[in-house]
Amino acid sequence: MNRNLEELLIEQKNIKVIDSSIDYKDYVALDLSATHTDQLDLNLTDALIFEEFVENHLSNNKAKVAFGGYLETRNLYRRSEVFKNEITDERNIHIGLDLWIKAGTSVLAALDGKIHSFQNNTALGDYGPAIILEHTIDNLTFYTLYGHLSLDSLDGKSVGQIVKKGNQIATLGAAPINGDYAPHLHFQIIKDMQGKKGDYPGVCSKKEVDFYTRNCPNPNFLLKIK
């Protein structure tokens, strides 16, 4: 019987997608859900204030990386027409995992694979520079997306270029290059790219959430951050 992707992801071990010297015990959860951020006197539209908020959260918890956000409903995207316009429903449900740490931090390939595509997504609130890798394990092909990178991360890249698990493929970008966010990595697993290249939705509407939950399984099946 063929295994599904979720089972395959759970079997993988020792996966890191940022600075491998940082142990998972030095990670702390970060709640950016609308119900939580609405209670805070925090201007989510100002990247510098947002970065200070993240740094304070790390300091208060004696941590080096903040993580979270899969299937989190957020108000973070309301400032950008990328996520809502006259035609589309509001997209505010996050379908990747965010890892919050300083700009310049190394970004690593989760698994052996090759570069599927890459692109600088320049709209306010978008990924900024992003790289998508293609992986095949036991005849099952899937993709990992790395968003909010530095512009230099796209230098020297080519479609089909081979990457190895744990090798540095990029560094984290700063605002406004990264879409104008506090520095972080958006990491996402995708079963079917639906013909897209260099970009794939990282946020969906309530109407779409069933599809995207199936097509983009929880990245923590792979990372296993506790």
Side-chain angles (χ1 to χ4, degrees), residues 192-208:
D192 179 2
M193 284 295 299
Q194 299 181 277
K196 294 179 172 61
K197 295 182 179 180
D199 188 20
Y200 189 84
V203 181
C204 72
S205 70
K206 187 175 181 179
K207 287 182 179 179
E208 302 168 314

Side-chain angles (χ1 to χ4, degrees), residues 58-74:
L58 291 172
S59 178
N60 291 339
N61 288 278
K62 297 180 173 58
K64 296 179 181 179
V65 181
F67 75 97
Y70 182 67
L71 296 186
E72 197 169 65
T73 301
R74 295 172 168 178

